Amino acid sequence: MAGGRARLITELIEMLRRCGDAEIVRWRMSARRKMEGGWMEIEHIETAYYRLPLETMGDAGHGAIDSEELITLKLHAGGLTGHGYAYTIGRGGRAIKALVDYDLVPLLLGRDATDIRGLWDLMWQRLLYVGRGGLASFAAAAVDVALWDLYGLREEKPLYALFGAESREIPAYGSGVDLPKSLDELLAQTEGFLERGFPGVKVKVGREDPKEDEARIKAVRKLIGDDTDLMVDANMAWSAKEALERGRRLEQYNLYWYEEPTIPEDVSGYARLVRELDVPIAAGESLHSPHEFRRYVEEGAVGVVQIDPITNGGITASLEALRLADKAGLATSSHYTDELSAHLLCASENPVYLEKHAFALDAYLEEPQRVVNGHVRPAETPGTGMRFDERALKPYRG
Ligand SMILES: [Mg+2]
């Protein structure tokens, strides 16, 4: 209690020094919550780092991928523990853990865990000089996921209910990281997706020779027939000009969407692709803040908004991306983060698909997500419903 009072005084001094209106409002709200007893003081945060081996995969933008880094986070407040995490595709994970341990933990200790939006703003502001996205967004995400989980535990509600949403069944698609696979391997993977009942499948494109991409897409379309949706993902491989040419060649295979055709910085290039191609353009996994999503939506640069609550900067940031998409009447989907995204997409007006990604965390989760007839629903347990199986993770701790 004495620690909480000292923290309030420190905050008051900080607030007076900054003298910004938003800071004053935030402090007043925190003070009121503390007086009313709703305050949950953040007492302790612990993190761990793991390197999980993967069968070697690859795509046109990120090259070969043979491991996934997992940074787990436990946030203790008010007698409860919220669980969060961040992941990478094998690079940068130690820096994310260091940002949490050295910059965010000292910032957050003693603060009110129920002020999720306020803490997101605070983390963003504190890391602004080295952040505005990138690794800082992943670090903030690990904390933000734990805060939402804690909120669900306190309210005894699953995440989707905290958003004011109802549980819904969301179609899932099988997604390979399959650019290096031979055509036979690609078709075998696709058959596996069909056996699992997925109503859609996604294939990587970006082989040097456009004819090879075309042959692979043509063969997959022939295998799946016309009733299964087919998406392609270029992982930012091309210039906007080349993406336009490639897109025109691939459109004939009746694609459901064309994902990340060029680099995320080229927003006007994306807008041109949206205008000039018939196939919807999907993007979002490489956008690291609500500001970036706002620019895409306002400039007509995206047709399907894909959220990833880790790369986007947390659940708070992905919810904002979904609200922007809803306001613009856009379709929504997800990248990886199957378990969190099943909750988030329930809060969206037009969630067309959830991605069932090749990097499944199932082997490391106490309760892996169930896919029934190619569809998923969010977990019903309070919070995120995600708990890592520490015995399964233990051999990979770094
Ligand atoms: Mg992708």
Side-chain angles (χ1 to χ4, degrees), residues 132-379:
R132 295 172 26 254
L135 296 174
S137 290
F138 290 70
V143 173
D144 186 75
V145 172
L147 291 170
W148 276 99
D149 186 48
L150 189 84
Y151 181 30
L153 296 178
R154 194 182 80 152
E155 299 294 315
E156 298 183 339
K157 287 181 180 173
L159 203 54
Y160 70 82
L162 302 176
F163 307 149
E166 291 187 359
S167 173
R168 59 198 285 184
E169 197 173 59
I170 297 165
Y173 71 89
S175 180
V177 184
D178 48 31
L179 197 65
K181 284 191 193 301
S182 68
L183 181 58
D184 284 347
E185 289 168 334
L186 178 65
L187 294 177
Q189 171 190 272
T190 308
E191 276 172 352
F193 290 152
L194 295 178
E195 280 162 20
R196 292 172 69 189
F198 292 129
V201 301
K202 190 169 82 185
V203 173
K204 298 291 189 191
V205 289
R207 291 225 162 184
E208 211 165 313
D209 183 350
K211 287 187 194 134
E212 274 188 50
D213 275 342
E214 231 177 295
R216 290 161 73 84
I217 298 305
K218 186 176 180 180
V220 171
R221 172 54 82 196
K222 190 174 169 205
L223 177 67
I224 65 178
D226 292 331
D227 295 334
T228 301
D229 291 323
L230 174 58
M231 302 79 154
V232 297
D233 185 356
N235 290 97
M236 316 174 282
W238 302 314
S239 67
K241 184 172 174 287
E242 191 175 4
L244 187 61
E245 290 162 9
R246 296 265 196 156
R248 282 190 180 128
R249 292 175 76 127
L250 294 170
E251 274 185 333
Q252 61 182 302
Y253 301 103
N254 187 23
L255 302 179
Y256 193 80
W257 74 53
Y258 181 22
E259 179 172 326
E260 288 202 311
T262 190
I263 54 170
E265 290 80 5
D266 188 1
V267 186
S268 61
Y270 269 89
R272 185 176 171 212
L273 292 165
V274 169
R275 283 194 309 274
E276 297 193 20
L277 291 174
D278 292 326
V279 58
I281 302 297
E285 72 181 79
S286 300
L287 303 186
H288 299 317
S289 75
H291 306 291
E292 293 185 339
F293 278 101
R294 187 171 301 111
R295 189 165 170 217
Y296 266 68
V297 171
E298 285 177 356
E299 296 193 23
V302 61
V304 181
V305 171
Q306 296 171 300
I307 52 150
D308 177 326
I310 304 304
T311 67
N312 300 160
I315 289 169
T316 303
S318 293
L319 274 176
E320 207 167 319
L322 291 175
R323 284 191 198 109
L324 288 163
D326 285 349
K327 212 170 155 193
L330 297 173
T332 60
S333 182
S334 63
H335 171 254
Y336 195 33
T337 61
D338 318 16
E339 301 78 16
L340 299 178
S341 287
H343 289 282
L344 278 155
L345 290 176
C346 289
S348 170
E349 284 175 15
N350 187 20
V352 290
Y353 266 113
L354 178 139
E355 179 177 43
K356 288 303 289 181
H357 198 277
F359 300 180
L361 281 171
D362 294 15
Y364 308 104
L365 290 174
E366 288 180 5
E367 286 187 50
Q369 186 176 62
R370 287 177 61 223
V371 180
V372 180
N373 298 325
H375 290 66
V376 296
R377 276 186 181 275

